[in-house]
Amino acid sequence: MAELVLEELSALGAIFCGPGEWEVLSCSDGTVFRILTRAEGFMDADIPLRLVFHLPVNYPSCLPGIVVNSEHLTRAECEIVKEKLLEQAETLLSEPMVHELVLWIQQNLRHILKRPEAGGGSEKCTSAASTTVDDGLWMTLLHLDHMRAKTKYVKSVEKWASDLRLTGRLMFMGKVILILLQGDRNNIKEYLILQKTCKVDVDSSGKKCKEKMISVLFETKVQTEHKRFLAFEVKEYSSLDELQKEFETAGLKKLFSEFVLRLVK
């Protein structure tokens, strides 16, 4: 990692030193970290922002990856904020820019939200109210085509789940590889970013590579009949019946029938 980037990360850790304000999520294939901050939004209300930055190995000569999440903004508004941040980042290339970007959004969020592309005030409030389904516990089932560097891959998955406070299972049954995640929906989204942007496996020549063959089979809010997993565990199953029993015990019989069975047929 370049000395310039190390200095920037150190400075960011010192600036965002409040509880939960700063967290490094991954240091493979660049650096991925999360910053929690607040900005003045529409009607002078403080809006909490969850900003995830991915600094590629060539940063700051190239743009960082940015993901914006907020329970107070619609998905469309989050995308607009992300686009504006990337536009601003283009003016800061070749120099460390993350702190500048955070300061910029703190000062400009209210102006961005007032623009026509972000929707009017009443529309925004209605849309924001409709996103309350993001609250609470969510569940996602993922399918991986293969793992070549299994030991390293498993350790990465375990670390990401731990860092993002996700529970569930990494399941192996023959050639079938499934990841079942439970937790905050935004944290699951951040997990998927890590899964797709970090070089977690190797290709056929042994070169490190990103995961390109992952698919989201199912996503839903956890229902009363679903088991709440207390930890994230890696499990091997010797038979389809054993795997099916795991799903049925978790209250996921229908999920198994609709999405898992077809993977082994």
Side-chain angles (χ1 to χ4, degrees):
M1 190 183 300
E3 184 176 349
L4 200 62
V5 176
L6 287 173
E7 290 176 359
E8 181 178 20
L9 294 176
S10 178
L12 289 170
I15 293 167
F16 300 102
C17 57
E21 283 187 341
W22 159 265
E23 184 176 7
V24 176
L25 303 175
S26 174
C27 289
S28 63
D29 187 31
T31 305
V32 181
F33 55 88
R34 178 177 61 210
I35 292 175
L36 301 183
T37 189
R38 305 181 76 87
E40 189 176 291
F42 194 70
M43 301 295 289
D44 298 329
D46 264 4
I47 293 179
L49 296 174
R50 184 194 305 248
L51 307 174
V52 178
F53 291 90
H54 173 219
L55 307 187
V57 291
N58 293 328
Y59 171 87
S61 298
C62 64
L63 293 176
I66 303 174
V67 175
V68 178
N69 277 306
S70 175
E71 295 176 355
H72 293 244
L73 301 177
T74 65
R75 288 187 182 182
E77 287 169 335
C78 286
E79 281 300 308
I80 290 168
V81 172
K82 169 188 168 181
E83 290 170 8
K84 298 302 180 185
L85 279 168
L86 288 172
E87 288 176 9
Q88 183 66 14
E90 288 179 352
T91 70
L92 302 170
L93 279 174
S94 79
E95 295 292 337
M97 65 180 76
V98 174
H99 188 223
E100 289 292 327
L101 292 175
V102 175
L103 290 176
W104 184 85
I105 199 59
Q106 288 173 339
Q107 297 164 5
N108 290 278
L109 180 65
R110 61 182 301 173
H111 305 299
I112 293 171
L113 295 180
K114 285 181 179 179
R115 291 174 183 170
E117 64 264 31
S122 59
E123 291 178 8
K124 184 182 74 65
C125 292
T126 301
S127 299
S130 70
T131 63
T132 55
V133 294
D134 286 359
D135 295 338
L137 198 65
W138 278 73
M139 176 171 60
T140 297
L141 180 65
L142 309 173
H143 173 240
L144 298 178
D145 184 76
H146 61 269
M147 281 186 189
R148 288 193 174 96
K150 184 176 178 180
T151 301
K152 177 180 180 295
Y153 205 130
V154 169
K155 286 183 179 179
S156 295
V157 171
E158 288 180 311
K159 183 179 186 306
W160 296 337
S162 175
D163 289 346
L164 293 168
R165 298 181 295 282
L166 299 174
T167 61
R169 298 284 186 269
L170 170 55
M171 300 174 279
F172 296 92
M173 198 285 296
K175 294 183 178 181
V176 176
I177 307 170
L178 300 168
I179 301 175
L180 183 65
L181 298 172
Q182 282 186 356
D184 178 85
R185 194 179 191 187
N186 287 326
N187 287 359
I188 291 176
K189 290 178 182 177
E190 290 179 25
Y191 174 92
L192 288 170
I193 293 167
L194 290 168
Q195 183 92 55
K196 294 176 180 179
T197 59
C198 297
K199 290 184 178 179
V200 68
D201 206 1
V202 296
D203 60 21
S204 57
S205 65
K207 185 179 178 182
K208 290 182 179 180
C209 65
K210 298 177 183 179
E211 179 57 71
K212 296 180 180 179
M213 301 185 72
I214 183 172
S215 55
V216 178
L217 299 180
F218 186 77
E219 180 185 45
T220 185
K221 196 169 184 179
V222 173
Q223 306 299 318
T224 53
E225 67 269 20
H226 297 154
K227 172 185 174 181
R228 268 64 168 174
F229 293 102
L230 301 179
F232 186 84
E233 299 179 19
V234 180
K235 301 188 73 173
E236 302 264 0
Y237 303 87
S238 58
S239 67
L240 186 61
D241 288 342
E242 191 178 343
L243 180 63
Q244 183 174 353
K245 186 177 180 180
E246 177 80 68
F247 275 79
E248 291 178 350
T249 302
L252 300 171
K253 183 177 180 179
K254 185 178 180 181
L255 179 65
F256 180 85
S257 299
E258 291 184 9
F259 298 97
V260 181
L261 275 180
R262 69 187 185 192
L263 296 175
V264 295
K265 288 182 177 178

